[in-house]
Amino acid sequence: MTIHFSCTMCGRCCHGLRLPIGVDEAMAWLRDGGDVQLFCEAIPWPEEPPADNHLAWYKRRRSFAALSGQLPVRVIVSLMAAFEGACPNLQPDMRCGIYERRPRACRVYPAEVNPFFSLDRDSKLCPPEAWHTQDVLQGEDGEWTDLEVAGSIAGMREADARDAEVKARLCAILGIASSGLSNEGIVVHAPERERLLWALEAAQSAGTGGETGIAAWQIVSHRRATLELLQSAGTASRPASELEGTTAKFMGFVPGDPA
Ligand code: SF4
Ligand code: SF4
């Protein structure tokens, strides 16, 4: 289905966000005085998937190898620019104050970066009139017709793959080693700004040649059944309730057990 779209500059997508950004963008965001969080999720990965499992290989490209107990896992760490209310770069006239160097995710919205997701207009913040235009965002063939959107999507996918090992080093430097179970929840880590910037610079400058090593990660869950399953698989796991009082927070995507 052809999707028509033209931005009305309503500014809704610049409020109360967790904006996925690359390592380069995270360093710029922090230097500008913004906050960045790490969203961590782990996928059990007992063996490599078959070559035709394109979704699994997509996840593999943007993750790094780790161990949880005896179980091999892949960890996806998403760096998120975080702000409540209006983005610190949003001007009173709803223009972006860093338009020329705004993050790739800002250039992509409301398109989808994940090739396995279809654009669902109802889930987007754009007002109805934004979709009633002659401008085409996505053609019948699924291709993004806007060159900046298409280029930014490609840039985000490349950054995801390029940054995976940098993120492994980043977590090792920061001592971060707890995640949610993919599709069930994530663990959000929010290191202090200066420390995170220093750690990102150190992780980045370590280069691609060095071995990161296989780190030991704990998988956090808010569901008893999941914890039992993880334990029976020899995984290092931990109830979400144990994060209370720490700097890490658990965010569940499915209902958990009553406390
Ligand atoms: S950086 Fe600019 S485009 Fe992105 S959320 Fe902030 S104001 Fe909006
Ligand atoms: S919510 Fe949609 S229409 Fe509004 S500024 Fe963002 S991209 Fe444009």
Side-chain angles (χ1 to χ4, degrees):
M1 183 180 71
T2 301
I3 294 186
H4 296 264
F5 174 76
S6 180
C7 177
T8 64
M9 288 188 61
C10 69
R12 288 183 200 167
C13 63
C14 301
H15 283 78
L17 278 191
R18 298 293 179 269
L19 190 65
I21 52 180
V23 165
D24 54 342
E25 295 171 328
M27 290 193 284
W29 195 269
L30 291 163
R31 287 186 190 117
D32 283 348
D35 291 317
V36 174
Q37 299 175 342
L38 287 76
F39 283 18
C40 301
E41 58 186 296
I43 312 167
W45 208 268
E47 57 188 22
E48 294 290 21
D52 61 355
N53 187 341
H54 302 297
L55 175 59
W57 283 96
Y58 174 73
K59 291 178 179 176
R60 193 189 189 288
R61 278 186 80 224
R62 53 195 305 261
S63 61
F64 56 85
L67 274 176
S68 180
Q70 300 161 13
L71 184 72
V73 296
R74 303 281 311 179
V75 179
I76 298 178
V77 173
S78 304
L79 296 171
M80 298 288 195
F83 49 89
E84 309 302 332
C87 171
N89 299 305
L90 189 64
Q91 307 295 293
D93 63 358
M94 296 296 138
R95 290 179 188 276
C96 175
I98 56 165
Y99 188 78
E100 294 303 327
R101 59 182 184 92
R102 69 197 190 287
R104 289 177 283 269
C106 303
R107 300 164 196 260
V108 165
Y109 197 86
E112 294 292 350
V113 177
N114 187 326
F116 299 94
F117 284 0
S118 302
L119 194 160
D120 172 16
R121 285 175 289 197
D122 293 340
S123 71
K124 301 294 178 180
L125 297 165
C126 311
E129 58 270 28
W131 306 104
H132 297 125
T133 167
Q134 292 303 308
D135 298 347
V136 174
L137 176 65
Q138 190 174 33
E140 195 77 43
D141 56 4
E143 294 295 318
W144 304 106
T145 51
D146 182 302
L147 290 183
E148 183 175 39
V149 169
S152 300
I153 288 173
M156 285 184 78
R157 290 181 189 160
E158 280 164 22
D160 268 352
R162 186 178 64 234
D163 290 347
E165 288 305 318
V166 179
K167 291 173 181 173
R169 288 194 289 274
L170 173 70
C171 291
I173 292 168
L174 292 169
I176 288 175
S178 59
S179 73
L181 183 64
S182 191
N183 296 326
E184 183 186 280
I186 52 170
V187 173
V188 180
H189 298 271
E192 186 271 326
R193 185 182 302 141
E194 292 298 322
R195 185 164 170 260
L196 178 54
L197 179 56
W198 165 79
L200 276 164
E201 287 169 346
Q204 177 89 305
S205 65
T208 53
E211 281 293 311
T212 307
I214 298 291
W217 279 65
Q218 268 192 336
I219 301 181
V220 178
S221 176
H222 60 332
R223 297 179 70 234
R224 262 188 303 276
T226 301
L227 288 164
E228 284 168 12
L229 200 63
L230 289 169
Q231 276 155 16
S232 69
T235 306
S237 56
R238 188 179 184 190
S241 56
E242 288 187 8
L243 293 188
E244 282 165 24
T246 74
T247 54
K249 284 196 172 55
F250 180 80
M251 203 189 289
F253 303 140
V254 295
D257 297 318

